[in-house]
Amino acid sequence: MKIRCVIIDDEFPARALLKDYIERFPHLELTGSFKSPLEALPLLQSGGVDLVFLDIQMPEISGMDFLKAFHLKNILVVITSAYPEYALEGYQLDVIDYLLKPFAFERFVQSVQKAGDRLHQRNSDSSTTATAFAESREFIVVKADHKSYRVNVADILFIEGMREYVTFHCLNQKLVALESLKNLVEQLPAGLFMRVHKSYIVNRQQVKALYGNQLQLHNSDKTVPIGQSYRDEVRKELFNLN
């Protein structure tokens, strides 16, 4: 995972030192180096920055005042300063580390490790939350026949793709919608649905039996074909067969 970094310091030697340190790490990417926070603001607000190394004493606006005035959403901040008295205030503003100038490379490494740990935790939490949300969804909205239907996901037997359309085969109805299987795979809870063919997605709980390259379902007289490239995964995931 690349960590996109920005340096903000009005002193050239400080910027050069940080640039040198950053370039020693293959997973760090320097996306900008600025003499003032206001110069860096457009890049910071673009969403393309993960980590900022921010000086405190600068002519236009101090690093502390900048943090108070502008909310750097989803950006981690490491303060780099020659003034230790600002450390407590910095941590109150939720900076992840405070590098006291002059600092050695070994101390810089600790800040990078903290940033990496925080970003990894954030990504893990986000993935877990998204998965939990998807798995907990009880219905999806299907637009068909100029109407919007609330369809219980548990009632979907299987979904059949037909070029730019899909057919939802449900317990009590069949709906044809302008949609793609690729999009549906991303939307439907993976713990409940599985793609078994380039043209079919099945409800795992509705699978009754495997017969050759066909799946027999509990509540349907239709069988669903298994694509050759999906066969091994279907056998393993649905029937624990190798």
Side-chain angles (χ1 to χ4, degrees), residues 5-6 31-34 38-49 75:
C5 305
V6 163
T31 59
S33 181
F34 302 91
L38 298 183
E39 288 181 5
L41 188 59
L43 177 58
L44 297 177
Q45 293 180 332
S46 72
V49 179
I75 298 178

Side-chain angles (χ1 to χ4, degrees), residues 152-197:
N152 290 330
V153 293
D155 291 344
I156 300 173
L157 306 177
F158 64 96
I159 305 169
E160 181 181 3
M162 301 172 293
R163 295 185 180 180
E164 68 270 25
Y165 291 90
V166 297
T167 299
F168 290 83
H169 296 263
C170 305
L171 282 173
N172 301 311
Q173 62 184 337
K174 185 166 68 174
L175 300 172
V176 179
L178 183 63
E179 184 59 274
S180 72
L181 286 185
K182 181 180 178 181
N183 288 338
L184 287 173
V185 167
E186 297 174 355
Q187 296 175 26
L188 293 167
L192 187 59
F193 291 90
M194 181 179 184
R195 191 165 187 172
V196 299
H197 187 281

Side-chain angles (χ1 to χ4, degrees), residues 125-229:
D125 291 345
S126 176
S127 176
T128 300
T129 300
T131 301
F133 173 75
E135 297 294 343
S136 66
R137 293 182 66 180
E138 296 181 356
F139 69 90
I140 61 172
V141 176
V142 176
K143 295 182 179 180
D145 305 324
H146 306 290
K147 300 176 184 178
S148 294
Y149 293 85
R150 283 170 53 104
V151 179
N152 290 330
V153 293
D155 291 344
I156 300 173
L157 306 177
F158 64 96
I159 305 169
E160 181 181 3
M162 301 172 293
R163 295 185 180 180
E164 68 270 25
Y165 291 90
V166 297
T167 299
F168 290 83
H169 296 263
C170 305
L171 282 173
N172 301 311
Q173 62 184 337
K174 185 166 68 174
L175 300 172
V176 179
L178 183 63
E179 184 59 274
S180 72
L181 286 185
K182 181 180 178 181
N183 288 338
L184 287 173
V185 167
E186 297 174 355
Q187 296 175 26
L188 293 167
L192 187 59
F193 291 90
M194 181 179 184
R195 191 165 187 172
V196 299
H197 187 281
K198 66 179 182 179
S199 300
Y200 289 90
I201 296 173
V202 299
N203 184 333
R204 294 169 180 260
Q205 296 181 354
Q206 289 291 338
V207 175
K208 180 180 181 180
L210 170 67
Y211 181 73
N213 288 327
Q214 303 284 327
L215 290 174
Q216 184 180 356
L217 306 182
H218 284 290
N219 295 288
S220 174
D221 55 0
K222 287 193 65 174
T223 58
V224 174
I226 303 171
Q228 184 175 355
S229 60

